[in-house]
Amino acid sequence: AWVVFARAFAVNSTHSIIWVLTPLLVLAEVPLWLIGTGWAVTLAGSWLGAHLAQHYAYNMSDMKQYGLPVVLFAIACAVLAAHVSLATIWLYACFGVVRGWYGGTMTPMIQRFTPPDQIATTLSVADSTSRLMYVPLVWGLSSVADSSPQLTMAVNFVVFVPLMTAAAFKLRP
């Protein structure tokens, strides 16, 4: 069961804040004509995360596979909650790296934890769990973002880092 929740936390930790990028770029005083570049860098981060997972994740325990991106996520959230500027906004791309890494590692991890005849059902339950979590998360984070995109980063940190850390420890052998 923990691997299902681990996947839901992994998906929602980055997906629920994707819409905060543009306000953060504006807050960092990125010129409006460069905002599209911020999105491109975030997408490149996703590619990098998937590429790194493909080459390095297979040598790690499930706990490390899951826990390593939690550290990167926590650092990016903490810094962007404390200070947004041209010097720190690039950390948003770390969310892309985290998303790409989890995209390449969570399905195989679920498959390892699940009997072969239950894989399709378990993946479906994991997807449904993620979707059920997403709706209240986006509503809650949207209402926080009305006051400050930086506060949204802080709330995301407070919500997800403990959940993801607990999930990482539950995935240890």
Side-chain angles (χ1 to χ4, degrees):
W2 269 102
V3 74
V4 169
F5 287 113
R7 182 185 179 280
F9 302 151
V11 167
N12 285 304
S13 65
T14 58
H15 193 246
S16 62
I17 56 168
I18 193 75
W19 50 268
V20 179
L21 175 58
T22 299
L24 285 171
L25 289 168
V26 171
L27 188 61
E29 298 180 2
V30 171
L32 291 178
W33 60 274
L34 277 178
I35 287 182
T37 305
W39 284 96
V41 169
T42 299
L43 290 173
S46 292
W47 173 85
L48 178 61
H51 186 72
L52 290 171
Q54 179 183 13
H55 291 285
Y56 299 106
Y58 68 91
N59 286 326
M60 299 177 176
S61 68
D62 290 327
M63 180 183 172
K64 287 180 182 175
Q65 274 186 34
Y66 191 80
L68 181 66
V70 174
V71 174
L72 187 59
F73 174 83
I75 291 168
C77 275
V79 171
L80 290 172
H83 181 70
V84 175
S85 69
L86 286 174
T88 61
I89 193 63
W90 64 270
L91 284 169
Y92 195 93
C94 292
F95 297 131
V97 173
V98 168
R99 187 162 185 78
W101 179 279
Y102 282 139
T105 59
M106 288 310 302
T107 297
M109 191 180 297
I110 288 173
Q111 291 170 334
R112 284 193 303 279
F113 277 88
T114 307
D117 62 329
Q118 297 175 3
I119 289 175
T121 301
T122 305
L123 288 170
S124 178
V125 168
D127 189 52
S128 296
T129 303
S130 294
R131 291 174 195 269
L132 288 171
M133 286 179 65
Y134 180 75
V135 173
L137 283 169
V138 168
W139 177 81
L141 289 171
S142 294
S143 55
V144 170
D146 288 342
S147 63
S148 164
Q150 286 179 274
L151 184 58
T152 303
M153 293 291 106
V155 169
N156 214 43
F157 180 96
V158 168
V159 168
F160 283 108
V161 171
L163 291 172
M164 293 167 77
T165 302
F169 279 101
K170 290 291 187 178
L171 295 174
R172 71 179 172 210

